[in-house]
Amino acid sequence: MQFFAYSQEMSPVSWSREVASPSSSPTSPELDVISLGRRVRHLRKQAGLTLDDLSAAVGTAPSQLSLIENGKREPKLGLLQHLASALNVSIDQLLGAEPPSRRAALEIELERYQRGPLYESLNLPKIRISSRLPLEVLEAQVGLLQELERKLNEQAATPEEARRANGELRAMMRERGNYFPEYEAEAQKVLKGVGYTSGPLSQHVIADIAENLGFSLHHVSDLPHSTRSVTDLKNRRIYLTQNQRQDHDPRSVLLQALGHYVLGHGTPKNYGDFLAQRVATNYFAAALLLPEQATLDFLLKAKAAKEIAVEDIRDAFAVSYETAAHRFTNLATQHLGITTHFQKTHQSGIIYKAYENDGVAFPQDHTGAIEGQPSCKAWTSRAVFDVPDKFSAYSQYTDTPSGTYWCTARTERSAAGEFSLSIGVPYQHVKWFRGRETTARATSNCPDPNCCKRPPAELANEWAGNAWPSARAHSHLLAAMPPGAFPGVDETEVYSFLAAHSAR
């Protein structure tokens, strides 16, 4: 699973042929009030009643009814009942979600826009919506505002918005113990469909899975540079690169592509949706590579022997250490009763991915984001970089303000540099793990800045004002999030690629 991505409302552009629902709007709290008002006005005019007529029938001043029809007042239940009776409709019909006519739908949409932050930011006078406003003017105004919103939504998200969406997703994962039974069930159906019984999931079995789902596989040398795979839904083909990329298991790439199909994903509506889909497909792929029951049997046996080790999971199922660590977080709390945390930390000390449901105090910014924050120098995820033995797992106890944690970590090198991958648990759970006998121990006082963010007083006194480092510029920190429904993917490039290959 991945734990980071972007967040920004955005248009599906042409990836999806579905038309945006007119019920979407910039403001949600007032939706029902606006719709109700337009429906009351429509039903009143349909019945041939004036405001005065309706006022006399329900015992409310015409001015108050006008406020209701204009969506500026929410009627009480008693008044709603009187209105329904006077207009000869049921309460359900009065509160119906569907606008009574095309014109009413446009009026509602324009009113919602005019009350929303987008229209406010334009500093334009508001249009008085009445029966005298021509239909073509309504259509033009709503169309212009929808197009403006689409253009603005296509613009790049800010890193802050990305971190905020990521924090919201992580909170949901923490609440569920990072366990998603719906994805486990779909993975089991797929495995059952090809007669899988046991053992590591080979490339041959994965090819059978693709065929069973109705897809053929095509390895090409010209895959669009911004993609890991491209699925041709028209001709039921999945295109993969011929090049062996060190950072990605080709089995996972294919299974993730199939995951979008199996899980019924549509074009992401926003960056948060894109992130949630990526989490889902990565989970689905891991649930195929490490099937739930087989992995659970393995873990239960290891727990009984008090020998749980991530490297053993890795070797038993022929996956990467990172995939094995992620899969452990999926099953540990739900099936083993073990709360846990995970970190992927760059050699610079910056956290790239993280998950926790055991109370560990990860560093975070004001949005609640952990990714991009520096890990404490005393933690196992940082200490492992200085260990001479890079072959064996490094284990350490760390005393923190939120309790004592035992962590085990390894380092792996990729195109982006060296990373540590660490799994940790609170002290009460360490008895189930290999490496618990370690004597390595550290103390972390983070988030106290005196722990590792501020230099020791003697160094600061000697060198403050006498040092001027030439910083290595991280230009990616200044870049906005990539635009598009699939961030950073060039739509024209993908369509041109599919057109060229479908003709072969």
Side-chain angles (χ1 to χ4, degrees):
M1 291 178 56
Q2 303 287 342
F3 294 92
F4 63 100
Y6 321 100
S7 169
Q8 169 71 15
E9 292 298 320
M10 57 186 304
S11 164
V13 198
S14 61
W15 292 106
S16 172
R17 295 185 181 276
E18 296 178 0
V19 179
S21 168
S23 65
S24 61
S25 72
T27 59
S28 55
E30 298 175 314
L31 291 183
D32 292 338
V33 178
I34 297 172
S35 298
L36 172 63
R38 299 303 173 196
R39 184 172 293 278
V40 170
R41 176 181 293 170
H42 173 81
L43 292 171
R44 175 176 63 78
K45 291 186 175 182
Q46 190 178 60
L49 300 174
T50 65
L51 274 175
D52 288 336
D53 294 335
L54 188 57
S55 169
V58 299
T60 299
S63 60
Q64 295 301 308
L65 289 179
S66 179
L67 290 173
I68 291 172
E69 288 191 355
N70 288 311
K72 296 180 179 178
R73 180 189 168 194
E74 182 177 352
K76 295 182 178 179
L77 179 59
L79 181 54
L80 279 176
Q81 292 170 336
H82 290 314
L83 285 170
S85 177
L87 297 170
N88 198 29
V89 296
S90 68
I91 287 286
D92 288 341
Q93 289 174 308
L94 190 63
L95 298 175
E98 289 298 321
S101 66
R102 165 69 176 161
R103 180 182 180 88
L106 288 169
E107 289 180 353
I108 291 169
E109 190 73 355
L110 181 56
E111 185 65 36
R112 289 170 180 166
Y113 269 114
Q114 290 191 148
R115 296 189 188 190
L118 171 61
Y119 200 91
E120 290 291 338
S121 69
L122 299 175
N123 293 318
L124 294 174
K126 292 186 177 180
I127 299 171
R128 185 174 182 274
I129 302 172
S130 70
S131 58
R132 296 191 183 94
L133 192 65
L135 180 62
E136 56 269 24
V137 173
L138 271 173
E139 290 178 333
Q141 288 295 320
V142 171
L144 284 171
L145 288 167
Q146 287 177 340
E147 181 63 14
L148 176 60
E149 185 179 41
R150 185 185 73 82
K151 290 289 187 183
L152 291 173
N153 286 340
E154 280 186 358
Q155 294 179 2
T158 65
E160 179 177 343
E161 290 165 328
R163 293 193 294 271
R164 195 181 302 278
N166 198 31
E168 292 172 356
L169 181 59
R170 188 185 306 103
M172 180 272 290
M173 294 162 65
R174 182 190 305 117
E175 183 180 346
R176 299 186 62 167
N178 206 19
Y179 178 73
F180 295 80
E182 61 271 31
Y183 304 151
E184 301 284 359
E186 291 298 332
Q188 285 304 309
K189 289 180 188 176
V190 168
L191 292 172
K192 185 177 180 180
V194 295
Y196 167 86
T197 54
S198 62
L201 207 64
S202 67
Q203 196 72 42
H204 176 72
V205 174
I206 294 175
D208 287 344
I209 289 174
E211 182 179 359
N212 191 52
L213 293 172
F215 288 94
S216 60
L217 306 181
H218 301 263
H219 292 82
V220 296
S221 59
D222 60 339
L223 195 72
H225 74 283
S226 57
T227 65
R228 294 180 186 175
S229 68
V230 174
T231 302
D232 177 353
L233 295 172
K234 182 192 296 184
N235 299 300
R236 311 282 288 185
R237 299 174 178 176
I238 297 178
Y239 293 97
L240 305 158
T241 182
Q242 290 177 345
N243 303 321
Q244 295 297 322
R245 295 181 180 175
Q246 179 182 357
D247 294 347
H248 307 295
D249 183 341
R251 298 177 302 166
S252 293
V253 172
L254 172 55
L255 293 175
Q256 288 163 17
L258 291 170
H260 286 294
Y261 171 77
V262 173
L263 300 177
H265 289 163
T267 302
K269 298 180 181 66
N270 49 60
Y271 283 105
D273 194 25
F274 167 79
L275 172 56
Q277 287 187 7
R278 188 166 66 170
V279 166
T281 55
N282 288 343
Y283 191 112
F284 174 77
L288 289 170
L289 290 168
L290 298 93
E292 181 175 22
Q293 192 56 54
T295 309
L296 181 56
D297 290 344
F298 184 89
L299 287 173
L300 288 172
K301 185 177 180 181
K303 184 181 180 184
K306 297 184 177 180
E307 283 287 310
I308 296 177
V310 176
E311 55 267 34
D312 288 353
I313 307 171
R314 173 201 61 190
D315 296 341
F317 293 91
V319 295
S320 69
Y321 189 91
E322 183 173 355
T323 298
H326 279 317
R327 193 62 174 135
F328 175 77
T329 69
N330 297 152
L331 304 176
T333 303
Q334 177 70 21
H335 293 299
L336 305 180
I338 298 174
T339 55
T340 185
H341 65 266
F342 167 83
Q343 272 191 85
K344 181 175 183 179
T345 305
H346 189 258
Q347 58 190 351
S348 62
I350 299 300
I351 299 174
Y352 270 54
K353 302 179 190 177
Y355 165 77
E356 60 81 19
N357 71 345
D358 61 356
V360 69
F362 279 134
Q364 53 184 289
D365 65 11
H366 67 285
T367 69
I370 297 170
E371 287 79 8
Q373 298 299 304
S375 177
C376 178
K377 293 178 180 178
W379 285 8
T380 311
S381 58
R382 296 288 296 276
V384 67
F385 288 109
D386 298 326
V387 175
D389 182 5
K390 299 298 183 183
F391 181 78
S392 304
Y394 171 72
S395 300
Q396 173 185 297
Y397 289 95
T398 308
D399 299 316
T400 78
S402 57
T404 297
Y405 294 87
W406 172 90
C407 302
T408 182
R410 288 183 63 96
T411 59
E412 290 184 353
R413 187 168 295 278
S414 70
E418 191 174 6
F419 289 86
S420 70
L421 301 161
S422 66
I423 281 286
V425 296
Y427 183 80
Q428 63 265 33
H429 294 310
V430 70
K431 60 185 176 181
W432 309 115
F433 291 82
R434 183 191 307 155
R436 61 188 177 277
E437 68 282 355
T438 181
T439 57
R441 199 175 193 104
T443 299
S444 167
N445 292 316
C446 280
D448 183 347
N450 291 318
C451 176
C452 60
K453 291 181 176 60
R454 291 177 182 166
E458 65 250 26
L459 285 176
N461 291 336
E462 181 176 358
W463 293 106
N466 295 308
W468 189 271
S470 178
R472 185 190 299 271
H474 296 281
S475 58
H476 66 280
L477 297 178
L478 303 177
M481 295 295 105
F486 301 94
V489 175
D490 188 310
E491 187 176 1
T492 302
E493 185 181 16
V494 171
Y495 289 164
S496 299
F497 167 83
L498 288 174
H501 281 272
S502 63
R504 295 177 185 175

